[in-house]
Amino acid sequence: MTATAPDLGSREFSFTDQDFRALAQLARAEFGLSLAESKKPLVYSRLARRLRARHISSFQDYMTLLGGQEEADERLELISALTTNVTSFFREKHHFDTLRRELMPQLVKQPRIRLWSAGCSSGQEPFSIAMTLLDALPETSRRNVRILATDIDPAIVRRARAARYPKEESETIPAELRRAWTKPCPDEDDQVEMSQTARQMISFAELNLIEPWPFHGPFDAIFCRNVAIYFDHDIQKTLWSRFAGMLRDGGFLFIGHSERVSGPALQSLTTAGVTTYRKTSASGPAVAT
């Protein structure tokens, strides 16, 4: 979160320490989100927009609204407002180099290939994974290959599923991959869309990472980058362990540049490069699905 914080002395809505603590408790209980006291000005800035949109005059009334059983959509608006969807094609390129160089020789021998983009945002990450696989393994589209792409925000998942991006965003795709796996949108000159071949490899879904997961793996690689930074250390350690249990032996976990695996997961995940971990021993059942 990098937005400039407002001067709370001239704020439009009253926002007490009690209001902030109540919001922080809800954000942690519902989404695992950790909000430090220092985030109070930024939380106000982000959520004041929601109060205006819902024609609410106070944060106390907003908390009452969030508690309503019919307000699941507003609770998702809350998490969307408090987190930042910053992504690009082939962001942190070294992860895709590792996928190509270290994992692909292993995957070509397997009848089944599964990868997971956990926190896929608007889809650039899973499509970067798909293009890497298609380029390194030309027969990928004829093999049993699936990429699961999940995010907590339904609106961002819809954008990812649409698979359309501004031309300038596509400039970060290597030229040969851009030519092979994207095409101009027939109805929007300033947009490109991903090829049907790449789209068919990916299953998009909504998922809250701190809730039970409706699948069992095992995955050959999991990308969860710049998501755990929003969680406190206890939730992070639980998440790393759950990911370790979802990986097959030899599988990779790719995380964000400011994140580090900690806790019991380090019994089976070892450092394999910059913000890259590899599973070296079983850490729980992983049943093929």
Side-chain angles (χ1 to χ4, degrees):
M1 298 180 180
T2 58
T4 301
D7 177 5
L8 293 188
S10 60
R11 58 185 179 244
E12 177 182 356
F13 306 101
S14 173
F15 189 40
T16 66
D17 289 343
Q18 183 177 354
D19 292 333
F20 175 78
R21 286 192 293 270
L23 277 165
Q25 289 170 4
L26 174 65
R28 192 185 192 284
E30 290 272 340
F31 311 110
L33 190 65
S34 178
L35 296 176
E37 288 283 343
S38 61
K39 297 293 186 183
K40 183 179 176 182
L42 189 56
V43 169
Y44 174 89
S45 177
R46 297 285 181 88
L47 293 185
R49 305 168 195 169
R50 296 307 309 156
L51 270 68
R52 296 186 199 107
R54 297 301 302 267
H55 306 289
I56 294 171
S57 59
S58 73
F59 273 87
Q60 283 187 333
D61 289 344
Y62 186 60
M63 285 300 301
T64 300
L65 177 77
L66 289 171
Q69 291 185 349
E70 71 283 2
E71 291 294 342
D73 288 346
E74 185 59 39
R75 289 190 288 275
L76 291 175
E77 291 285 356
L78 169 70
I79 191 65
S80 182
L82 294 179
T83 56
T84 304
N85 287 300
V86 177
T87 187
S88 61
F89 290 102
F90 292 92
R91 187 182 187 191
E92 298 184 55
K93 181 177 175 293
H94 60 278
H95 288 156
F96 300 96
D97 292 340
T98 297
L99 178 61
R100 177 188 294 271
R101 183 181 62 251
E102 302 292 334
L103 190 57
M104 286 306 300
Q106 174 182 333
L107 296 184
V108 296
K109 305 172 186 177
Q110 298 179 184
R112 172 191 179 278
I113 299 171
R114 294 292 184 272
L115 301 99
W116 180 14
S117 170
C120 67
S121 188
S122 47
Q124 289 90 334
E125 180 177 272
F127 281 116
S128 298
I129 296 170
M131 287 185 282
T132 299
L133 295 179
L134 287 165
D135 185 58
L137 186 62
E139 69 271 22
T140 293
S141 61
R142 299 189 298 275
R143 295 167 61 106
N144 184 5
V145 180
R146 298 299 300 167
I147 300 166
L148 173 64
T150 64
D151 200 279
I152 194 172
D153 187 339
I156 207 73
V157 171
R158 287 194 295 271
R159 285 176 55 192
R161 193 177 282 121
R164 289 190 169 197
Y165 302 95
K167 280 185 178 178
E168 60 267 25
E169 286 189 20
S170 71
E171 293 300 316
T172 58
I173 303 174
E176 65 277 13
L177 301 186
R178 189 168 64 249
R179 287 192 297 268
W181 308 115
T182 73
K183 59 182 181 179
C185 291
D187 54 344
E188 295 182 84
D189 292 340
D190 62 341
Q191 300 269 314
V192 299
E193 61 184 9
M194 306 307 300
S195 72
Q196 191 65 22
T197 299
R199 296 172 71 167
Q200 288 176 343
M201 295 171 61
I202 304 172
S203 296
F204 290 100
E206 299 164 26
L207 181 69
N208 184 340
L209 285 174
I210 72 167
E211 293 182 350
W213 299 342
F215 46 82
H216 303 285
F219 292 97
D220 300 290
I222 298 173
F223 286 70
C224 187
R225 307 186 299 173
N226 307 305
V227 175
I229 54 173
Y230 292 107
F231 302 147
D232 65 29
H233 291 303
D234 288 342
I235 293 178
Q236 286 181 14
K237 287 189 289 187
T238 298
L239 186 64
W240 303 138
S241 292
R242 294 178 74 190
F243 283 146
M246 283 284 182
L247 284 169
R248 69 167 71 252
D249 287 355
F252 283 87
L253 172 64
F254 301 105
I255 65 176
H257 65 275
S258 62
E259 298 167 335
R260 298 293 181 273
V261 169
S262 59
L266 289 173
Q267 297 175 17
S268 60
L269 296 176
T270 58
T271 301
V274 178
T275 55
T276 301
Y277 294 82
R278 192 165 197 174
K279 184 171 178 178
T280 57
S281 62
S283 65
V287 180
T289 58

